[in-house]
Amino acid sequence: MINLLYYLDTASIDQIKRAFDLYPMSGVTTNPTIIARENTNFLGLLKEIREVIGTEKDLHVQVLSSTAEGMLEEARYLHEQIGGELYIKIPVTPQGIKAMKLLKKEGMNITATAIYTADQALMSAMAGADFVAPYVNRIDNISGNGVDVVSQIVTLLHNYGLDTMVLAASFKNIQQVHDVALCGGQSVTVNAEVMDGLLSHPLTDSSVTQFINDWENVYGKGKITNNL
Ligand code: G3P
């Protein structure tokens, strides 16, 4: 069975708690900008996120080093400190690709990130990445087509029989998420607003209100199926 995996792209504990309570979430993704936004102790924050989501949900954390050796050291440190289903996010630079090859040999989970082209994604997959993260909205913003890039990646991964999955990122609207799902992207990471937006519809709200009004007109205010 193929699922669409939903990830929350945030380090806000409140947002994570709410989304994991309500929605079928697979994990949390972060990047240095997202972490810096919280302006708090880095390791403490990540440990708190791990505590909230549990050890079986995926947590994606990015390294900052510019050399493969530095990335490896950060990855080992993060593994030791955070644990659980941890994915080390590595940008698709030449040193990043080298780090992916080496980290794979150590059995670590890898998410290749900062992807703007299908070829970057393909090379990351060949280097051992478990996920590849194309930045849909940022591609749209440079007059590209983010969904087309995702679609090309899906095709390439399929053509070469690779198990690597797309983790489409950088969404600004619901249509982008919808189009990624239609073209076979296996997972999406979205902010809290987009996550809520995937569900919300004013006619759903008015239908629910109408049901309650019709029911209460007959059975009485506050009555529900198990207290008639
Ligand atoms: O984590 C990478 C990606 O989600 C960035 O999104 O909104 O900063 O373009 P955004």
Side-chain angles (χ1 to χ4, degrees):
M1 187 174 74
I2 298 173
N3 292 310
L4 173 64
L5 307 179
Y6 294 103
Y7 291 86
L8 204 63
D9 203 21
T10 185
S12 156
I13 297 294
D14 288 345
Q15 291 177 359
I16 293 169
K17 279 185 179 161
R18 179 173 180 279
F20 275 69
D21 181 44
L22 297 173
Y23 303 135
M25 304 305 302
S26 291
V28 167
T29 59
T30 64
N31 65 33
T33 306
I34 285 171
I35 297 279
R37 198 177 291 145
E38 301 304 309
N39 194 10
T40 185
N41 178 274
F42 165 68
L43 215 46
L45 180 60
L46 287 176
K47 286 182 174 173
E48 202 178 344
I49 295 173
R50 172 56 80 210
E51 177 92 19
V52 170
I53 68 176
T55 52
E56 287 177 10
K57 299 286 179 178
D58 301 344
L59 177 55
H60 297 241
V61 183
Q62 193 163 328
V63 292
L64 274 303
S65 298
S66 51
T67 64
E69 290 68 27
M71 292 176 193
L72 252 65
E73 278 170 28
E74 283 188 69
R76 291 180 194 129
Y77 174 78
L78 292 170
H79 250 272
E80 209 176 275
Q81 295 292 326
I82 302 163
E85 280 300 309
L86 183 71
Y87 284 78
I88 305 297
K89 282 180 82 176
I90 303 178
V92 290
T93 59
Q95 289 292 318
I97 295 294
K98 176 179 174 183
M100 289 178 209
K101 292 194 297 175
L102 296 171
L103 279 178
K104 206 62 218 167
K105 283 193 188 140
E106 296 190 17
M108 292 207 198
N109 299 323
I110 298 162
T111 299
T113 194
I115 290 179
Y116 288 81
T117 73
D119 296 289
Q120 292 174 324
L122 182 58
M123 194 188 291
S124 308
M126 295 306 302
D130 300 279
F131 285 100
V132 288
Y135 286 5
V136 176
N137 192 66
R138 292 194 197 189
I139 294 170
D140 287 351
N141 278 347
I142 50 170
S143 303
N145 185 322
V147 172
D148 274 357
V149 172
V150 171
S151 179
Q152 288 166 17
I153 296 171
V154 169
T155 303
L156 286 172
L157 296 177
H158 176 78
N159 286 353
Y160 288 102
L162 296 160
D163 290 335
T164 307
M165 292 196 284
V166 172
L167 172 56
S170 176
F171 291 101
K172 287 296 163 285
N173 62 62
I174 308 308
Q175 189 66 41
Q176 290 167 331
V177 180
H178 176 73
D179 290 340
V180 161
L182 272 183
C183 76
Q186 294 89 350
S187 57
V188 292
T189 184
V190 299
N191 63 34
E193 191 188 347
V194 170
M195 193 70 209
D196 285 339
L198 286 167
L199 199 62
S200 88
H201 198 291
L203 290 181
T204 301
D205 297 340
S206 63
S207 296
V208 170
T209 303
Q210 178 79 51
F211 288 138
I212 292 171
N213 288 342
D214 292 345
W215 174 275
E216 289 189 340
N217 280 340
V218 172
Y219 296 107
K221 196 144 185 62
K223 291 293 181 189
I224 54 175
T225 58
N226 63 350
N227 77 351
L228 283 178

